[in-house]
Coordinates of all heavy atoms in Angstrom, one line a residue:
R45 N 1.5 31.5 6.3 CA 1.9 30.1 6.6 C 2.6 30.1 7.9 O 3.6 30.8 8.1 CB 2.8 29.7 5.4 CG 3.2 28.3 5.5 CD 4.2 27.9 4.3 NE 3.4 28.2 2.9 CZ 4.0 27.8 1.8 NH1 5.1 27.2 1.7 NH2 3.2 27.9 0.7
D46 N 2.2 29.2 8.7 CA 2.7 29.1 10.1 C 3.2 27.8 10.4 O 2.7 26.8 9.9 CB 1.6 29.4 11.1 CG 1.1 30.9 11.2 OD1 1.8 31.7 10.7 OD2 -0.2 31.1 11.3
L47 N 4.2 27.7 11.3 CA 4.8 26.5 11.8 C 3.8 25.6 12.5 O 3.1 26.1 13.5 CB 6.1 26.7 12.6 CG 6.7 25.5 13.3 CD1 7.4 24.6 12.2 CD2 7.7 25.8 14.4
V48 N 3.7 24.4 12.2 CA 2.9 23.3 13.0 C 3.8 22.6 13.9 O 3.5 22.5 15.1 CB 2.1 22.5 12.0 CG1 1.3 21.4 12.9 CG2 1.1 23.3 11.1
A49 N 4.8 22.1 13.4 CA 5.7 21.1 14.1 C 7.0 20.9 13.5 O 7.0 20.9 12.2 CB 5.0 19.7 14.5
A50 N 8.1 20.7 14.1 CA 9.4 20.6 13.6 C 10.2 19.6 14.4 O 9.9 19.4 15.6 CB 10.2 21.8 13.4
I51 N 11.1 18.8 13.8 CA 11.9 17.8 14.4 C 13.3 17.8 13.8 O 13.6 18.0 12.7 CB 11.3 16.4 14.2 CG1 12.0 15.4 15.1 CG2 11.1 16.0 12.9 CD1 11.2 14.1 15.2
T52 N 14.3 17.7 14.6 CA 15.7 17.6 14.2 C 16.0 16.2 14.0 O 15.5 15.3 14.5 CB 16.6 18.3 15.3 OG1 16.8 17.5 16.4 CG2 16.2 19.7 15.6
S53 N 17.3 16.0 13.5 CA 17.8 14.6 13.2 C 18.0 13.8 14.6 O 18.2 12.7 14.6 CB 19.1 14.6 12.4 OG 20.1 15.4 12.9
F54 N 18.3 14.7 15.7 CA 18.5 14.0 16.9 C 17.2 13.8 17.6 O 17.3 13.3 18.8 CB 19.4 15.0 17.8 CG 20.8 15.3 17.2 CD1 21.0 16.4 16.6 CD2 21.8 14.3 17.3 CE1 22.3 16.5 15.9 CE2 22.9 14.5 16.8 CZ 23.3 15.6 16.1
G55 N 16.1 14.2 17.2 CA 14.8 13.9 17.7 C 14.2 15.1 18.6 O 13.1 14.8 19.1
F56 N 14.8 16.2 18.6 CA 14.2 17.4 19.4 C 13.0 17.8 18.5 O 13.1 18.0 17.4 CB 15.1 18.4 19.6 CG 16.3 18.0 20.5 CD1 17.6 17.8 20.1 CD2 16.2 17.9 21.8 CE1 18.6 17.4 20.8 CE2 17.3 17.6 22.6 CZ 18.4 17.3 22.2
T57 N 11.9 18.1 19.2 CA 10.6 18.5 18.6 C 10.2 19.9 19.0 O 10.5 20.3 20.2 CB 9.5 17.6 18.8 OG1 9.3 17.3 20.1 CG2 10.0 16.2 18.2
N58 N 9.4 20.5 18.3 CA 8.8 21.8 18.6 C 7.4 21.9 18.0 O 7.2 21.5 16.8 CB 9.6 23.0 18.1 CG 9.1 24.4 18.5 OD1 8.5 24.5 19.6 ND2 9.1 25.4 17.6
Y59 N 6.4 22.3 18.7 CA 5.0 22.4 18.3 C 4.4 23.7 18.5 O 4.7 24.4 19.5 CB 4.2 21.4 19.0 CG 4.5 20.0 18.8 CD1 5.5 19.2 19.7 CD2 3.9 19.1 17.8 CE1 5.8 17.9 19.5 CE2 4.2 17.8 17.6 CZ 5.1 17.2 18.5 OH 5.5 15.9 18.2
A60 N 3.5 24.1 17.6 CA 2.7 25.2 17.8 C 1.7 25.0 19.0 O 1.3 23.8 19.2 CB 1.8 25.5 16.6
D61 N 1.4 26.0 19.8 CA 0.6 25.8 21.0 C -0.9 25.2 20.6 O -1.4 24.5 21.4 CB 0.3 27.1 21.7 CG 1.6 27.5 22.4 OD1 2.5 26.7 22.7 OD2 1.7 28.8 22.8
S62 N -1.3 25.6 19.5 CA -2.7 25.1 19.0 C -2.8 23.7 18.7 O -3.9 23.2 18.7 CB -3.1 25.9 17.8 OG -2.1 25.7 16.6
V63 N -1.6 23.0 18.5 CA -1.6 21.6 18.2 C -1.1 20.7 19.2 O -1.1 19.3 19.2 CB -1.0 21.2 16.9 CG1 -1.7 22.2 15.7 CG2 0.5 21.4 16.9
K64 N -0.4 21.2 20.2 CA 0.2 20.4 21.3 C -0.8 19.5 22.0 O -2.0 19.9 22.3 CB 0.8 21.3 22.4 CG 2.1 22.0 22.0 CD 2.7 22.8 23.1 CE 4.0 23.3 22.7 NZ 4.7 24.1 23.8
G65 N -0.4 18.3 22.2 CA -1.3 17.4 22.7 C -2.2 16.5 21.8 O -2.7 15.5 22.1
R66 N -2.3 17.0 20.6 CA -3.0 16.5 19.5 C -2.2 15.9 18.3 O -2.6 14.9 17.7 CB -4.1 17.5 19.0 CG -5.1 18.0 20.0 CD -6.2 18.9 19.5 NE -5.7 20.1 18.7 CZ -5.8 20.3 17.4 NH1 -6.5 19.5 16.6 NH2 -5.3 21.4 16.8
F67 N -1.2 16.6 18.0 CA -0.4 16.2 16.8 C 1.0 15.8 17.4 O 1.4 16.2 18.4 CB -0.1 17.5 16.0 CG -1.3 18.0 15.2 CD1 -2.5 17.6 15.4 CD2 -1.1 19.0 14.2 CE1 -3.7 18.0 14.8 CE2 -2.2 19.4 13.5 CZ -3.5 19.0 13.8
T68 N 1.6 14.7 16.7 CA 2.8 14.2 16.9 C 3.6 14.1 15.7 O 3.2 13.6 14.7 CB 2.8 12.8 17.5 OG1 1.9 12.8 18.7 CG2 4.0 12.3 17.9
I69 N 4.9 14.7 15.7 CA 5.7 14.6 14.7 C 6.8 13.6 14.9 O 7.3 13.5 16.0 CB 6.4 16.0 14.4 CG1 7.1 16.0 13.0 CG2 7.3 16.4 15.5 CD1 7.7 17.4 12.5
S70 N 7.2 12.9 13.9 CA 8.2 11.8 14.0 C 9.0 11.8 12.7 O 8.6 12.4 11.7 CB 7.6 10.4 14.2 OG 6.7 10.0 13.2
R71 N 10.2 11.1 12.9 CA 11.1 11.1 11.7 C 11.8 9.7 11.6 O 12.2 9.2 12.6 CB 12.1 12.2 11.9 CG 13.2 12.4 10.8 CD 14.0 13.6 11.0 NE 15.0 13.9 9.9 CZ 15.7 14.9 9.9 NH1 15.5 15.9 10.6 NH2 16.6 15.0 8.9
D72 N 11.9 9.2 10.3 CA 12.4 8.0 10.1 C 13.8 8.3 9.3 O 13.6 8.5 8.1 CB 11.6 7.0 9.4 CG 12.2 5.6 9.2 OD1 13.4 5.5 9.3 OD2 11.4 4.6 9.1
N73 N 14.8 8.5 9.9 CA 16.1 8.9 9.2 C 16.5 7.8 8.1 O 17.2 8.2 7.1 CB 17.2 9.1 10.3 CG 17.0 10.3 11.1 OD1 16.4 11.3 10.6 ND2 17.5 10.2 12.2
A74 N 16.3 6.5 8.4 CA 16.7 5.6 7.3 C 15.8 5.7 6.2 O 16.3 5.4 5.1 CB 16.4 4.2 8.0
K75 N 14.7 6.2 6.2 CA 13.7 6.3 5.0 C 13.7 7.8 4.6 O 13.0 8.1 3.6 CB 12.3 5.9 5.4 CG 12.2 4.4 5.7 CD 10.8 3.9 6.0 CE 10.6 2.5 6.2 NZ 9.3 2.1 6.5
N76 N 14.4 8.7 5.3 CA 14.3 10.1 5.0 C 12.9 10.7 4.9 O 12.6 11.4 3.9 CB 15.1 10.3 3.8 CG 16.6 10.0 3.8 OD1 17.2 10.3 4.8 ND2 17.1 9.2 2.9
T77 N 12.1 10.2 5.8 CA 10.8 10.5 5.8 C 10.3 11.2 7.2 O 10.7 10.7 8.2 CB 9.9 9.3 5.5 OG1 10.2 8.8 4.2 CG2 8.4 9.6 5.6
V78 N 9.5 12.2 7.2 CA 9.0 12.8 8.4 C 7.4 12.5 8.2 O 6.8 12.7 7.2 CB 9.3 14.2 8.5 CG1 8.7 15.1 7.3 CG2 8.9 14.8 10.0
Y79 N 6.9 12.4 9.4 CA 5.4 12.1 9.6 C 4.8 13.1 10.6 O 5.4 13.7 11.5 CB 5.1 10.7 10.2 CG 5.8 9.6 9.3 CD1 7.1 9.2 9.7 CD2 5.2 9.0 8.3 CE1 7.7 8.1 9.1 CE2 5.7 8.0 7.6 CZ 7.1 7.6 7.9 OH 7.6 6.6 7.3
L80 N 3.4 13.4 10.3 CA 2.7 14.1 11.2 C 1.3 13.5 11.5 O 0.5 13.4 10.6 CB 2.4 15.6 10.6 CG 1.6 16.4 11.6 CD1 2.5 16.9 12.8 CD2 1.2 17.7 10.9
Q81 N 1.3 12.8 12.7 CA 0.0 12.2 13.2 C -0.8 13.2 13.9 O -0.5 13.9 14.8 CB 0.3 11.0 14.2 CG -0.8 10.4 14.7 CD -1.6 9.6 13.7 OE1 -1.0 8.8 13.0 NE2 -2.9 9.9 13.6
M82 N -2.1 13.4 13.2 CA -2.9 14.4 13.6 C -4.2 13.7 14.2 O -4.8 13.1 13.5 CB -3.3 15.3 12.5 CG -2.2 15.9 11.8 SD -2.6 17.2 10.5 CE -3.4 16.1 9.5
N83 N -4.4 13.9 15.5 CA -5.6 13.4 16.2 C -6.4 14.6 16.8 O -6.0 15.7 16.8 CB -5.1 12.4 17.3 CG -4.3 11.3 17.0 OD1 -4.6 10.8 15.9 ND2 -3.3 10.9 17.8
S84 N -7.8 14.1 17.1 CA -8.7 15.1 17.6 C -8.9 16.3 16.7 O -8.8 17.5 17.2 CB -8.3 15.4 19.0 OG -8.3 14.4 19.9
L85 N -8.9 16.1 15.4 CA -8.9 17.3 14.5 C -10.1 18.2 14.6 O -11.1 17.7 15.0 CB -8.9 16.7 13.0 CG -7.4 16.2 12.6 CD1 -7.6 15.4 11.3 CD2 -6.5 17.4 12.3
K86 N -9.8 19.5 14.5 CA -10.8 20.5 14.6 C -11.0 21.3 13.1 O -10.0 21.3 12.5 CB -10.5 21.5 15.6 CG -10.1 20.9 17.0 CD -9.7 21.9 17.9 CE -9.3 21.4 19.3 NZ -8.7 22.4 20.2
P87 N -12.3 21.9 13.0 CA -12.3 22.7 11.7 C -11.3 23.6 11.6 O -10.9 23.9 10.4 CB -13.8 23.3 11.9 CG -14.5 22.5 12.8 CD -13.4 21.7 13.7
E88 N -10.7 24.3 12.6 CA -9.7 25.2 12.4 C -8.4 24.7 11.9 O -7.4 25.4 11.8 CB -9.5 26.0 13.7 CG -9.3 25.2 15.0 CD -10.7 25.0 15.7 OE1 -11.7 24.9 15.1 OE2 -10.7 25.2 17.0
D89 N -8.2 23.3 12.0 CA -7.0 22.7 11.4 C -7.1 22.7 9.9 O -6.1 22.3 9.2 CB -6.9 21.3 12.0 CG -6.6 21.3 13.5 OD1 -5.9 22.1 14.0 OD2 -7.2 20.3 14.1
T90 N -8.1 23.0 9.4 CA -8.3 22.9 7.8 C -7.3 24.0 7.2 O -7.2 25.2 7.5 CB -9.7 23.4 7.4 OG1 -10.6 22.4 7.9 CG2 -9.8 23.4 5.9
A91 N -6.4 23.4 6.3 CA -5.4 24.2 5.8 C -4.6 23.3 4.6 O -4.8 22.1 4.7 CB -4.4 24.7 6.7
V92 N -3.8 24.0 3.9 CA -2.9 23.2 3.1 C -1.6 23.1 4.0 O -1.0 23.9 4.6 CB -2.5 24.0 1.9 CG1 -1.4 23.3 1.0 CG2 -3.7 24.2 1.0
Y93 N -1.1 21.8 4.1 CA 0.0 21.4 5.0 C 1.1 21.3 4.0 O 1.2 20.5 3.0 CB -0.3 20.3 5.8 CG -1.2 20.5 7.0 CD1 -2.5 20.9 6.7 CD2 -0.7 20.4 8.2 CE1 -3.5 21.0 7.8 CE2 -1.5 20.7 9.3 CZ -2.9 21.1 9.1 OH -3.7 21.3 10.2
Y94 N 2.3 22.0 4.4 CA 3.5 22.0 3.6 C 4.7 21.4 4.4 O 4.9 21.7 5.5 CB 4.0 23.5 3.1 CG 2.9 24.1 2.3 CD1 1.9 24.9 2.8 CD2 3.0 24.0 0.9 CE1 1.1 25.5 1.9 CE2 2.2 24.6 0.1 CZ 1.1 25.3 0.6 OH 0.3 26.0 -0.2
C95 N 5.4 20.4 3.8 CA 6.6 20.0 4.3 C 7.7 20.9 4.1 O 7.8 21.4 3.1 CB 6.9 18.5 3.6 SG 8.3 17.7 4.5
N96 N 8.6 20.9 5.2 CA 9.8 21.9 5.1 C 11.0 21.2 5.6 O 11.0 20.3 6.5 CB 9.4 23.1 6.1 CG 10.7 24.0 6.2 OD1 11.4 23.7 7.1 ND2 10.8 25.0 5.4
A97 N 12.1 21.5 5.0 CA 13.4 21.0 5.4 C 14.4 22.0 5.2 O 14.4 22.8 4.3 CB 13.7 19.7 4.6
K98 N 15.5 21.9 6.1 CA 16.6 22.8 6.0 C 17.8 22.3 6.7 O 17.8 21.3 7.5 CB 16.5 24.2 6.5 CG 16.0 24.4 8.0 CD 15.4 25.6 8.4 CE 16.4 26.8 7.9 NZ 15.7 28.1 8.2
R99 N 19.0 22.7 6.2 CA 20.3 22.1 6.8 C 20.8 22.7 8.1 O 21.3 22.0 8.9 CB 21.4 22.1 5.7 CG 21.0 21.5 4.3 CD 22.2 21.6 3.4 NE 21.7 21.3 2.1 CZ 21.5 20.1 1.5 NH1 21.6 19.1 2.3 NH2 21.1 19.9 0.4
S100 N 20.5 24.0 8.2 CA 20.8 24.7 9.5 C 19.9 25.8 9.6 O 19.1 26.2 8.7 CB 22.2 25.1 9.5 OG 22.5 26.1 8.4
S101 N 20.0 26.7 10.9 CA 19.3 27.8 11.1 C 19.5 28.9 10.0 O 18.6 29.7 9.7 CB 19.5 28.3 12.4 OG 19.0 27.3 13.4
W102 N 20.6 29.0 9.5 CA 21.1 29.9 8.5 C 21.0 29.6 7.0 O 21.3 30.4 6.1 CB 22.4 30.5 8.8 CG 23.6 29.4 8.7 CD1 24.2 29.0 7.6 CD2 23.8 28.6 9.9 NE1 25.1 28.0 8.1 CE2 25.0 27.7 9.4 CE3 23.6 28.6 11.3 CZ2 25.6 26.8 10.2 CZ3 24.2 27.7 12.2 CH2 25.2 26.9 11.6

Side-chain angles (χ1 to χ4, degrees):
R45 186 176 299 185
D46 296 322
L47 175 70
V48 177
I51 186 169
T52 71
S53 60
F54 298 101
F56 295 105
T57 58
N58 184 41
Y59 295 91
D61 288 341
S62 60
V63 307
K64 284 184 177 179
R66 299 188 297 120
F67 292 10
T68 302
I69 190 169
S70 60
R71 181 171 180 169
D72 187 337
N73 290 328
K75 296 181 178 179
N76 298 311
T77 300
V78 64
Y79 306 93
L80 185 68
Q81 178 66 52
M82 305 185 294
N83 299 323
S84 302
L85 283 162
K86 305 174 181 179
E88 49 263 46
D89 295 319
T90 296
V92 177
Y93 284 69
Y94 296 91
C95 185
N96 170 271
K98 62 193 308 178
R99 304 185 194 280
S100 68
S101 298
W102 56 89

